[in-house]
Amino acid sequence: MKITNYTYIVLIILFLFRTEVSLGKDSDSVSVVATRAVITGKTSNIPNGGVVQITLIDYGIDDARINKKIFTTIKDNQYQFIIDSLTHPLYLVFNFREASDLNYVHFILSPNDEINIDQSSDASKFSGTNSSIYDCIIEMTREGKEKFNNYGWSDRNNKPLIEEFKFTDEQLKYNLEKLKSYEEKMPQSIYSLLKTDLIYGAANYKYSLLNLKKTTAQQIGYDPGLLLMKGRPSVIGGNLYSYVFPYYVTSKYTYDYCTAINEKFDPTKCIDYVYENFHGILKEQLGTYLIIKNIKMSNMTAPQNYALSAFSNQIFKDIIVKATANRVEGREAIDFSLPDKDGRNHSLSEYRGNIVVLDFWFTGCGACKELAPKLAYVAEKLKREKVVFLSISVDKSKATWLKSVKAGEYTFKGCIELYTDGMAQSHPELSKYKILGFPTLILINQAGKIMNNPISPRDDGGADMLKLIYAELNKRGVRQ
């Protein structure tokens, strides 16, 4: 993915507004009463009939497969969201199709919130119950963007990395001071959550940059002891869950056990690290995050099965099932029917009795293009076997798909080229496979069951995929 200067700005801002951590004992169970929250907005720069979307991120797991999206339309220059059955704070993200200072900012929505938003000017204003939380977050966001621009963001690639680290530390100090000025205007639990968000968010950003640049703090002249701020607050419990902390744990693990010693990231080892070093509800939150974020990686069956049997929190079990159920080894593959370039429909079930390789891709995906010749090699090795390759494009434009098929950059001779009719991942059947990243490979055995995920042929030339397929053919005694 190409990361623009604006994306870097948004990444820092997002990392500055997340994270509850529960490093220790589980909190005592308490009875909770579900209440509603109401958000009402007034706008003059969005036309009537325009659509407004909010995304709710719960339990510290930020993933499009489980996030809840709610839509409403502008009427008489106003919009309203009513969120029922709210038992604890969660993250709220606005998405206006038009430009807005609220877009992509992560607010915290609490039970009983009654938030009024005046968007009649470029700077949105808040009033109502708990509006001080929104004021604090938007002020830090606005001033952060201004500081980024003054920093010379467009020229950041020409600056030493240590300068960016120092700037991040200065921004963290400023934000903590701003947050402190609001301490008496918000619940203490939310204040503690935001404070922890800021500190772990800044640390995550620095670790992520080091991993991206494949360097270490020492090599850029930065004190490793400052990667995570000293004197950070004690973590909080209760029903508050952060979703930046999983990012932080993952990036720190990657730095310590991969970047610093020149090793590749292995999600199963990262999960083992989490299970050994964290306990209680935090262990289960982190484990859930890592399982669903790495579902298309190899050897994820054992971590999934362990979580579903050993986790005590049913919420996290349900999240894993919702996000990954149709990608678990041994589950029945969901049937679908898609057209080829000649208009003939192909259903998955018609290839029962063969091993089927599903390859999901889109035009412009560099990794997809890189995968194609590796898959062609695997297919050539298996040309005498009962193995079928279904190449499935999620391009929005049929013309784009047909052009790519003709060019042969994403597919190969012998594969069956199918199209999702412009519906991409929203295709009624394919959406159940919960595919977000590309390329994605799914193996299905002769009985129509999901197989273990292979190591991507981009990484090992197809050796692991061939091993898995040959083992399945040998098991059933049908290898040629």
Side-chain angles (χ1 to χ4, degrees):
M1 178 184 71
K2 182 179 179 181
I3 300 180
T4 63
N5 293 332
Y6 178 73
T7 305
Y8 277 111
I9 294 174
V10 171
L11 281 173
I12 289 186
I13 292 172
L14 295 187
F15 286 141
L16 296 181
F17 299 109
R18 315 171 182 181
T19 314
E20 170 274 329
V21 193
S22 170
L23 290 172
K25 298 180 180 179
D26 295 341
S27 57
D28 294 332
S29 60
V30 295
S31 59
V32 293
V33 179
T35 59
R36 67 166 43 181
V38 180
I39 300 170
T40 304
K42 177 182 178 182
T43 178
S44 59
N45 64 342
I46 302 176
N48 287 324
V51 177
V52 183
Q53 172 192 315
I54 59 173
T55 300
L56 303 179
I57 302 169
D58 205 356
Y59 300 109
I61 309 293
D62 178 19
D63 189 277
R65 288 164 286 204
I66 59 173
N67 291 344
K68 183 176 181 179
K69 295 182 179 180
I70 306 175
F71 300 85
T72 192
T73 54
I74 305 290
K75 184 178 180 180
D76 297 329
N77 299 115
Q78 293 186 340
Y79 60 89
Q80 186 176 73
F81 293 95
I82 299 176
I83 299 93
D84 289 313
S85 303
L86 195 60
T87 61
H88 57 271
L90 44 75
Y91 288 89
L92 162 71
V93 183
F94 288 95
N95 184 2
F96 297 88
R97 293 179 181 176
E98 294 77 9
S100 170
D101 61 339
L102 303 183
N103 279 338
Y104 310 114
V105 181
H106 291 61
F107 296 98
I108 296 177
L109 180 71
S110 300
N112 297 314
D113 275 4
E114 293 185 7
I115 304 299
N116 301 304
I117 308 174
D118 184 352
Q119 294 175 262
S120 57
S121 64
D122 291 339
S124 300
K125 298 177 182 178
F126 302 93
S127 61
T129 307
N130 280 335
S131 60
S132 293
I133 299 171
Y134 294 73
D135 287 331
C136 178
I137 292 174
I138 200 66
E139 281 185 32
M140 287 190 285
T141 302
R142 288 180 188 141
E143 293 170 20
K145 286 182 179 179
E146 182 178 350
K147 288 177 180 291
F148 295 146
N149 291 333
N150 293 337
Y151 169 69
W153 198 259
S154 60
D155 192 42
R156 63 186 298 277
N157 289 327
N158 296 322
K159 295 181 179 181
L161 195 56
I162 190 171
E163 286 191 22
E164 189 160 342
F165 277 33
K166 291 178 178 178
F167 172 79
T168 302
D169 291 339
E170 291 171 3
Q171 186 66 22
L172 173 60
K173 181 180 178 182
Y174 167 81
N175 282 328
L176 289 172
E177 292 172 352
K178 173 65 69 174
L179 177 62
K180 183 68 176 176
S181 70
Y182 275 88
E183 183 175 8
E184 302 302 320
K185 301 177 183 179
M186 64 178 69
Q188 187 62 37
S189 59
I190 301 298
Y191 172 81
S192 298
L193 172 59
L194 286 172
K195 185 175 181 179
T196 314
D197 287 354
L198 292 169
I199 292 172
Y200 283 98
N204 172 67
Y205 183 69
K206 289 183 282 188
Y207 278 119
S208 297
L209 279 181
L210 291 172
N211 293 330
L212 180 67
K213 302 292 186 180
K214 299 187 185 318
T215 189
T216 65
Q218 293 93 329
Q219 288 172 337
I220 68 168
Y222 186 79
D223 182 356
L226 298 178
L227 286 170
L228 179 62
M229 179 181 176
K230 290 182 171 63
R232 55 191 178 276
S234 58
V235 293
I236 57 178
N239 286 322
L240 299 182
Y241 297 88
S242 161
Y243 76 109
V244 76
F245 193 67
Y247 285 101
Y248 162 77
V249 170
T250 306
S251 60
K252 185 179 186 301
Y253 171 87
T254 303
Y255 177 76
D256 290 339
Y257 296 94
C258 304
T259 301
I261 58 176
N262 198 28
E263 292 285 342
K264 285 188 176 181
F265 177 79
D266 182 336
T268 58
K269 291 182 179 178
C270 186
I271 291 172
D272 289 342
Y273 165 84
V274 163
Y275 290 167
E276 292 172 4
N277 290 277
F278 297 92
H279 306 281
I281 204 70
L282 183 58
K283 167 186 170 180
E284 296 186 8
Q285 179 206 18
L286 295 172
T288 300
Y289 166 84
L290 287 166
I291 288 169
I292 67 176
K293 287 296 185 183
N294 294 284
I295 186 58
K296 69 177 186 176
M297 303 293 285
S298 63
N299 301 318
M300 292 302 295
T301 300
Q304 285 173 286
N305 291 338
Y306 170 82
L308 294 176
S309 64
F311 281 8
S312 61
N313 191 308
Q314 187 61 42
I315 289 171
F316 291 122
K317 290 183 179 182
D318 292 343
I319 289 173
I320 292 172
V321 169
K322 182 178 180 180
T324 70
N326 296 316
R327 299 281 295 280
V328 177
E329 183 181 6
R331 291 294 295 267
E332 187 81 21
I334 297 173
D335 196 16
F336 58 82
S337 180
L338 295 172
D340 61 21
K341 61 184 178 181
D342 297 318
R344 185 212 157 189
N345 282 324
H346 297 251
S347 65
L348 176 63
S349 56
E350 74 180 84
Y351 295 104
R352 183 69 65 92
N354 297 272
I355 290 179
V356 180
V357 179
L358 305 182
D359 170 29
F360 295 88
W361 61 274
F362 69 90
T363 300
C365 169
C368 302
K369 186 183 293 188
E370 183 183 345
L371 176 64
K374 307 293 185 182
L375 279 183
Y377 168 79
V378 173
E380 177 64 23
K381 288 286 186 180
L382 297 167
K383 63 183 180 181
R384 297 178 57 197
E385 310 292 347
K386 296 188 70 175
V387 180
V388 176
F389 288 78
L390 300 184
S391 170
I392 302 173
S393 168
V394 297
D395 285 336
K396 291 295 181 72
S397 165
K398 185 174 182 178
T400 299
W401 168 60
L402 290 173
K403 183 178 179 181
S404 293
V405 167
K406 184 176 181 180
E409 292 181 315
Y410 299 91
T411 60
F412 54 92
K413 184 178 180 180
C415 73
I416 299 171
E417 297 157 328
L418 305 177
Y419 183 55
T420 54
D421 278 331
M423 291 183 282
Q425 303 102 301
S426 299
H427 187 281
E429 285 82 28
L430 293 182
S431 64
K432 297 173 185 176
Y433 284 98
K434 307 290 185 181
I435 296 166
L436 295 181
F438 300 90
T440 288
L441 294 172
I442 299 177
L443 303 188
I444 301 169
N445 70 14
Q446 300 95 321
K449 306 287 187 179
I450 299 292
M451 294 173 57
N452 191 18
N453 293 326
I455 295 172
S456 172
R458 293 187 300 127
D459 296 327
D460 70 349
D464 188 60
M465 178 180 284
L466 286 168
K467 180 180 177 182
L468 287 172
I469 292 175
Y470 282 140
E472 188 68 23
L473 293 170
N474 287 332
K475 183 169 66 175
R476 298 179 183 274
V478 294
R479 181 175 175 182
Q480 299 299 314

